[in-house]
Amino acid sequence: MPQCGARSRPKTFGKPWKNLGDTLSMALRFGSFTFDERARELRRDGALIALSPKAFRLLELLIEARPNPVTRDALYAALWPDVVVEPGNLHGLVSEVRAAIETGIIRTVHRVGYAFTGAGSFEESARWSVVLGTDEIPLRSGENGIGRDPHGAVVIHSPDVSRHHARLTIAGPRVTLEDLGSKNGTFLGTRRVSSAIDVKPGDEILVGTTKLRLVRVDALAETATAI
């Protein structure tokens, strides 16, 4: 919990923040990292990186302002509105973000605040997801590996699933499914997959004995952003 202190600061910004939903409805890729504001995810080479909600919000604010720095007062006002906290709280969040991403991407601007310096480009945010049990897993444009590989897009911890079991490929409005020579096979409905096959929203995919269902992200957007 924030600690009380005597430090005073403005409760408002010098200028209002822009609507991040307009700017970051697409994912930002910088180096081996992907920052997806809508999915509330930070990934490195496809693997999810755990960040606390406030650390994620800090990174979000710095990315939105890039390449300009964000003042400490503005960050305090955004992260702890109407609450006075010790300076160490912000420092702790910055340290958490720096530990999660490459050194040097979050730059300290002396007597000002912090700036995001990563060079990157925006890509379309996932339009497709698969439902695995109670989890909804976003898919990216291009290839999405399915299996026990912890770096895959869809990780299934089951002994009857191969490390590299199957692959979903997203190419605009088209989604295709392939089996990667798995021992226990991949099925689309009741049909065993022997070559690349088109998958439609609502289709059920069987990976070994694990069921997945393909869905359009648009139908889940409200749930995905309600964090």
Side-chain angles (χ1 to χ4, degrees):
M1 295 180 62
Q3 299 175 354
C4 295
R7 186 179 185 274
S8 62
R9 55 177 175 78
K11 294 183 179 180
T12 58
F13 302 109
K15 63 176 182 178
W17 296 103
K18 291 183 289 185
N19 184 345
L20 292 183
D22 296 335
T23 307
L24 296 181
S25 60
M26 298 195 301
L28 175 69
R29 182 178 293 276
F30 56 100
S32 58
F33 297 91
T34 302
F35 177 89
D36 192 329
E37 182 269 341
R38 187 172 74 169
R40 312 302 295 173
E41 289 181 346
L42 176 66
R43 292 179 178 269
R44 181 172 189 172
D45 294 325
L48 187 64
I49 297 176
L51 279 180
S52 67
K54 283 196 183 296
F56 188 93
R57 176 61 174 151
L58 169 64
L59 181 57
E60 182 179 55
L61 293 169
L62 296 178
I63 287 175
E64 191 274 341
R66 72 188 185 113
N68 300 317
V70 183
T71 67
R72 289 182 176 84
D73 284 342
L75 291 173
Y76 274 105
L79 295 167
W80 295 281
D82 303 316
V83 176
V84 177
V85 298
E86 293 290 344
N89 291 74
L90 179 59
H91 178 75
L93 289 183
V94 172
S95 297
E96 181 182 348
V97 173
R98 283 174 168 164
I101 60 179
E102 295 172 358
T103 302
I105 290 180
I106 305 301
R107 179 171 62 92
T108 300
V109 182
H110 187 54
R111 294 187 178 181
V112 177
Y114 300 94
F116 179 89
T117 63
S121 59
F122 286 101
E123 61 180 21
E124 289 188 3
S125 189
R127 294 180 177 177
W128 300 91
S129 294
V130 291
V131 174
L132 170 60
T134 59
D135 295 328
E136 179 250 326
I137 304 169
L139 302 174
R140 309 295 181 193
S141 295
E143 297 180 350
N144 296 265
I146 303 172
R148 289 187 290 105
D149 182 3
H151 299 295
V154 182
V155 181
I156 302 174
H157 301 288
S158 178
D160 64 347
V161 172
S162 301
R163 184 175 178 84
H164 301 284
H165 194 109
R167 178 169 56 220
L168 281 167
T169 302
I170 311 297
R174 186 184 184 192
V175 182
T176 56
L177 173 67
E178 300 172 81
D179 182 79
L180 301 179
S182 66
K183 180 179 179 181
N184 293 309
T186 303
F187 296 81
L188 181 61
T190 59
R191 177 182 175 183
R192 184 160 188 153
V193 176
S194 57
S195 60
I197 186 173
D198 286 338
V199 189
K200 305 298 182 185
D203 281 352
E204 186 175 274
I205 300 167
L206 196 63
V207 180
T209 58
T210 300
K211 293 181 179 180
L212 304 173
R213 180 169 54 86
L214 182 71
V215 295
R216 292 188 66 90
V217 168
D218 291 347
L220 293 176
E222 185 174 346
T223 300
T225 56
I227 302 298

